[in-house]
Amino acid sequence: MAKLNHLVTLLFVTLKLFTFLNAKFVTPPPLPVLPLPSYSQLQWQQRELIMFLHFGVNTFSDSEWGTGKENPSIFNPTALDANQWVDAAVSGGVSLMILTAKHHDGFCLWPSKYTDHSVLQSPWKNGHGDVIKELVNAAKQRGVDVGLYLSPWDRHDRRYGRNKQYNEYYLAQLQELVKKYGDVKEIWFDGAKGPNAPNMLYYFNDWFSMVRELQSTINIFSDAGPDVRWVGNEKGFAGSTCWSTINRTSLSIGNGSIVGYLNTGDPRGTDWLPAECDVSIRPGWFWHKSESPKKLSQLLEIYYNSVGRNCLLLLNVPPNKTGLISDNDAQRLKEFKSAIDTIFSTNLAEKSLVKVSSQRGGPDSDFGPQNVLDSDHLWTYWAPSEDHSDHWIELTAKEKRLKFNVIRIQEAIGLGQRIKRHKIYVDGKLVASGSTVGYKKLHRLEKGVIEGYRVKIRIMKSRGIPLISSVGLHYDPFWNPK
């Protein structure tokens, strides 16, 4: 009997082993290529377009950099309506608005208890106003997020130039802002100051630590991050090569010698620090009666060279003296959003046949070519086999030829930025080439509209296997290279 039981046990083990060896396991995703974005950085990247609001005493003194000696009595926006600001933002497709809580002149748009140079001393609302509170309340009603800029350079406060005293003052105001007004999604720091400004050591690490302690999901912007970096200019243009990765140890806030490095990033960078492209809808940052908004064609050019180069676009739209966003600015912002929707709401490749060089895990895996045409541009993607070195994806029209002048490629950046070089062919003819892709790469074709049956994207070089999350062919009716 014991012998029979032993045989039965042996047979059972053999059957289990046979079943295990013949089982078909789901192929896991490839290993990430470090560094990776944080959750907050991923949410930030997907916004694509956010708004800056430069507003303060400069609005009333018709200047860009105030002296710090302005009388608070000049600040009197008699028709200020933050709901109108938010309406303009929503009409422009904006989900985050960053307000200049304090600019270089030191005037505070909230009633700070650490200074008398604020709305408290202005005639607006008889000294009982709070611009930040008005924006926060209006934005909350529409589901729009808020960010704040607190200028490190302060031309008014007498403590500026005395390291310990001024850093205590600055940190106190920082705490007011990030404790009093609910969730702040982005905080903006910079190193801008005039050549004759007193020497001043900013305790940036202390500031960053305090902000992070009080707001766990906030993104901190500065020349050197730690979450978002400056792109190196105020034109809204990133480098044609633009990595979200960079070495933070090579960066410092206010260092004008590193703008080229900020513009392109670094494929060997150890930190995920994507670039934000700041530019104003007008020539100046503050509202001036003599200025008008940029043409739609200029804004689209900026869009292709910021969002279309793996960056986020921070577009400044300044309120005027009455406290409203001017009608021509609001209208231009609305036109900008409408143009982007016109170009990108339809993917002309949507019904194409998709063929790839290889597929990770074989034809039954989760990494097939169909993923590049779905609505998820982040976590579903085509992954080639690691056994192949030639990586390409080809879209073929089912019936009539495809007609387009914009090609969109997106990487699955949740697993790292990978693509170093790529080329695009239409019916075997080279039509575009480039280096990095990242979250989004837009090729607006130099020769205009192209028609063809087959579009092939060939990845020439990458960090690990490339992971393409989305591909699109689009028609831009506003683009006329001739």
Side-chain angles (χ1 to χ4, degrees):
M1 189 69 181
K3 197 170 185 178
L4 180 62
N5 287 339
H6 178 71
L7 288 171
V8 170
T9 301
L10 186 62
L11 180 62
F12 177 76
V13 171
T14 303
L15 285 171
K16 290 287 286 183
L17 180 61
F18 179 80
T19 302
F20 176 80
L21 291 173
N22 287 275
K24 289 188 176 180
F25 296 101
V26 174
T27 303
L31 290 172
V33 174
L34 302 179
L36 300 181
S38 68
Y39 173 81
S40 296
Q41 287 171 323
L42 278 181
Q43 298 301 109
W44 170 90
Q45 186 86 58
Q46 293 173 86
R47 294 182 189 273
E48 297 195 358
L49 172 66
I50 62 176
M51 184 190 288
F52 223 163
L53 297 153
H54 274 64
F55 188 55
V57 290
N58 291 349
T59 308
F60 299 86
S61 64
D62 198 29
S63 61
E64 286 289 296
W65 279 12
T67 64
K69 297 178 181 179
E70 292 83 5
N71 190 322
S73 65
I74 68 172
F75 184 82
N76 192 20
T78 53
L80 190 148
D81 183 1
N83 289 293
Q84 189 256 0
W85 300 358
V86 177
D87 287 343
V90 171
S91 296
V94 170
S95 62
L96 170 64
M97 305 170 73
I98 301 176
L99 176 65
T100 54
K102 182 187 80 168
H103 205 253
H104 310 325
D105 50 75
F107 181 81
C108 300
L109 293 183
W110 80 103
S112 173
K113 62 185 179 182
Y114 298 104
T115 182
D116 61 357
H117 198 54
S118 76
V119 288
L120 279 169
Q121 303 299 317
S122 78
W124 178 60
K125 293 198 170 184
N126 296 316
H128 298 291
D130 185 338
V131 181
I132 297 176
K133 185 177 180 181
E134 302 238 351
L135 175 59
V136 167
N137 290 343
K140 188 175 182 180
Q141 291 177 13
R142 300 296 300 275
V144 174
D145 292 321
V146 170
L148 297 170
Y149 167 63
L150 187 66
S151 171
W153 184 30
D154 191 318
R155 304 188 76 179
H156 172 81
D157 197 88
R158 287 175 293 181
R159 285 162 285 198
Y160 191 85
R162 293 185 285 170
N163 291 340
K164 183 175 184 292
Q165 291 90 335
Y166 182 74
N167 275 280
E168 287 177 343
Y169 167 64
Y170 188 93
L171 197 57
Q173 289 199 318
L174 197 57
Q175 289 179 72
E176 281 186 317
L177 293 177
V178 294
K179 287 171 67 177
K180 184 178 179 181
Y181 296 101
D183 284 344
V184 178
K185 292 301 182 183
E186 185 169 337
I187 189 88
W188 233 76
F189 302 104
D190 64 9
K193 63 179 180 179
N196 298 321
N199 290 327
M200 181 74 222
L201 177 63
Y202 301 135
Y203 297 171
F204 281 116
N205 289 333
D206 293 14
W207 303 353
F208 296 165
S209 295
M210 179 60 69
V211 167
R212 190 75 78 211
E213 178 184 0
L214 296 173
Q215 298 266 0
S216 61
T217 61
I218 200 169
N219 280 313
I220 301 173
F221 169 97
S222 81
D223 295 355
D227 301 307
V228 179
R229 78 177 192 261
W230 184 43
V231 78
N233 62 62
E234 294 182 345
K235 300 176 181 177
F237 277 43
S240 56
T241 294
C242 190
W243 291 93
S244 293
T245 53
I246 205 166
N247 286 319
R248 281 198 67 210
T249 54
S250 301
L251 307 178
S252 59
I253 300 173
N255 181 0
S257 67
I258 58 171
V259 292
Y261 188 57
L262 288 167
N263 202 237
T264 61
D266 189 341
R268 296 176 295 279
T270 56
D271 303 287
W272 188 274
L273 197 58
E276 187 169 279
C277 299
D278 57 321
V279 66
S280 185
I281 198 169
R282 289 165 165 255
W285 289 93
F286 286 87
W287 181 86
H288 304 289
K289 186 178 180 179
S290 61
E291 294 180 354
S292 300
K294 289 178 169 65
K295 296 177 181 179
L296 176 60
S297 59
Q298 291 176 284
L299 293 180
L300 286 172
E301 179 81 8
I302 290 168
Y303 182 86
Y304 280 106
N305 287 286
S306 55
V307 176
R309 289 181 173 179
N310 184 40
C311 295
L312 181 139
L313 173 57
L314 173 58
L315 182 64
N316 179 63
V317 186
N320 60 29
K321 283 185 178 182
T322 66
L324 298 173
I325 290 176
S326 296
D327 289 342
N328 54 354
D329 290 356
Q331 181 61 30
R332 187 55 43 82
L333 187 62
K334 191 173 182 178
E335 290 171 2
F336 185 35
K337 169 65 163 55
S338 177
I340 292 170
D341 288 346
T342 297
I343 299 165
F344 296 104
S345 60
T346 300
N347 185 356
L348 301 171
E350 191 175 36
K351 297 179 181 180
S352 300
L353 296 171
V354 190
K355 184 180 178 182
V356 291
S357 51
S358 63
Q359 182 174 329
R360 179 181 177 82
D364 297 324
S365 74
D366 294 332
F367 310 107
Q370 71 279 358
N371 291 334
V372 305
L373 295 179
D374 67 12
S375 59
D376 186 332
H377 301 336
L378 200 59
W379 291 112
T380 64
Y381 49 88
W382 162 63
S385 169
E386 296 186 32
D387 297 331
H388 293 72
S389 58
D390 183 25
H391 305 307
W392 53 262
I393 185 165
E394 187 176 75
L395 307 170
T396 303
K398 290 182 179 179
E399 298 174 3
K400 60 181 181 180
R401 289 186 297 178
L402 299 163
K403 181 181 179 181
F404 56 93
N405 57 6
V406 177
I407 301 169
R408 172 177 54 83
I409 313 172
Q410 298 187 240
E411 284 188 76
I413 60 169
L415 291 171
Q417 187 177 351
R418 298 165 179 251
I419 296 173
K420 291 184 174 183
R421 196 154 46 89
H422 64 284
K423 292 183 177 182
I424 304 171
Y425 301 83
V426 175
D427 291 344
K429 183 180 178 181
L430 181 68
V431 297
S433 61
S435 51
T436 48
V437 172
Y439 175 70
K440 181 174 287 187
K441 175 65 178 181
L442 298 175
H443 286 282
R444 188 168 57 168
L445 301 180
E446 294 178 1
K447 294 184 178 180
V449 175
I450 283 182
E451 294 187 45
Y453 287 103
R454 291 186 309 281
V455 178
K456 177 177 278 191
I457 300 170
R458 188 179 292 276
I459 310 304
M460 312 303 293
K461 194 175 182 181
S462 66
R463 302 165 69 228
I465 59 170
L467 306 178
I468 295 183
S469 60
S470 186
V471 172
L473 303 178
H474 306 278
Y475 173 65
D476 181 349
F478 309 96
W479 173 234
N480 183 8
K482 297 177 183 179

